Amino acid sequence: DAGVTQSPTHLIKTRGQQVTLRCSPKSGHDTVSWYQQALGQGPQFIFQYYEEEERQRGNFPDRFSGHQFPNYSSELNVNALLLGDSALYLCASSPLGTGRAISEQYFGPGTRLTVT
Amino acid sequence: SQQGEEDPQALSIQEGENATMNCSYKTSINNLQWYRQNSGRGLVHLILIRSNEREKHSGRLRVTLDTSKKSSSLLITASRAADTASYFCATMEYGNKLVFGAGTILRVKS
């Protein structure tokens, strides 16, 4: 049973560029959440996707956008990169659906983004 | 913004000793969860305690929750070198959104 996978593992971009990160959820999970973790801090919620729609959003600017595909995989896009966007980006999946109890989230290994 | 605040920020103990980490939060919650993170990689779920529960055990882990004080504690008994990691508490808000604290760095010396 494959867990949550993310690609790429590491990425180096230049200020002003755009980046796309990818996530495949755990088998049987239909909800994907994205988190940003700066060095020495806890993860910060960016947004959550369910049924190909953004369901919730944290306090992040519009430069951060996402997408969920019919197979439940997801992408995180960041435009006009800033130095402060350097962080570990974590994807987490969970089963949501109607009537399901709120449960733990399963995290992928993350993508480490460095903006120079 | 981060809701959970862990205490202490860092903890260093000898193998075999117990480790206790505390977490405080600010708003009403559905549940509180503890996660472990090794070397800045993905988080691993350890234990979930619901708002109507006061204590929960899982192997060497014991979690308590005091909703009146908006606080929780994680106890790791008989620690091992492999327990060296960062530990985060996270509160579950409406819609499966997790709000994390800044974490406690635990170092277990062998």
Side-chain angles (χ1 to χ4, degrees):
Chain A
D1 178 20
V4 180
T5 60
Q6 291 186 245
S7 63
T9 304
H10 295 88
L11 203 52
I12 299 175
K13 289 286 189 178
T14 303
R15 198 169 37 180
Q17 287 188 318
Q18 179 263 345
V19 68
T20 297
L21 310 181
R22 296 176 176 82
C23 170
S24 291
K26 182 178 169 63
S27 177
H29 288 186
D30 53 14
T31 302
V32 173
S33 302
W34 286 92
Y35 294 83
Q36 180 196 65
Q37 185 178 23
L39 196 62
Q41 297 183 23
Q44 298 271 326
F45 176 78
I46 303 175
F47 42 52
Q48 181 181 90
Y49 277 85
Y50 172 64
E51 292 188 333
E52 302 179 50
E53 290 186 359
E54 183 182 292
R55 284 301 182 97
Q56 286 198 89
R57 189 178 184 91
N59 188 26
F60 279 80
D62 292 344
R63 297 187 297 109
F64 290 77
S65 63
H67 188 77
Q68 185 178 36
F69 299 93
N71 66 353
Y72 308 124
S73 66
S74 177
E75 287 182 350
L76 164 66
N77 300 292
V78 187
N79 294 322
L81 285 167
L82 305 174
L83 296 179
D85 294 332
S86 294
L88 181 68
Y89 288 85
L90 295 162
C91 168
S93 73
S94 57
L96 190 58
T98 302
R100 289 184 184 272
I102 296 173
S103 65
E104 68 269 23
Q105 297 190 354
Y106 292 77
F107 282 81
T111 293
R112 187 163 297 282
L113 172 65
T114 302
V115 182
T116 62
Chain B
S1 62
Q2 295 185 315
Q3 169 156 243
E5 297 291 336
E6 283 92 342
D7 168 51
Q9 290 184 327
L11 182 60
S12 184
I13 59 175
Q14 290 292 135
E15 205 166 26
E17 294 181 337
N18 296 341
T20 300
M21 288 160 267
N22 303 298
C23 167
S24 61
Y25 57 92
K26 298 174 185 174
T27 65
S28 297
I29 60 172
N30 181 284
N31 64 60
L32 185 144
Q33 305 177 26
W34 286 88
Y35 286 81
R36 185 185 74 222
Q37 185 176 40
N38 292 84
S39 302
R41 300 303 289 172
L43 280 78
V44 174
H45 180 266
L46 295 176
I47 195 165
L48 179 155
I49 185 165
R50 300 188 187 281
S51 59
N52 60 353
E53 297 176 311
R54 292 297 168 258
E55 187 171 311
K56 201 160 184 180
H57 297 255
S58 177
R60 295 184 295 114
L61 305 180
R62 171 178 170 256
V63 168
T64 62
L65 179 64
D66 187 335
T67 53
S68 66
K69 295 181 179 179
K70 291 186 168 56
S71 67
S72 173
S73 67
L74 170 67
L75 168 67
I76 303 175
T77 60
S79 63
R80 305 166 182 169
D83 294 328
T84 295
S86 293
Y87 291 81
F88 296 90
C89 72
T91 50
M92 176 64 78
E93 296 189 355
Y94 174 74
N96 251 4
K97 170 186 172 181
L98 282 175
V99 179
F100 286 86
T104 292
I105 300 172
L106 173 65
R107 180 187 173 204
V108 181
K109 295 176 286 187
S110 56

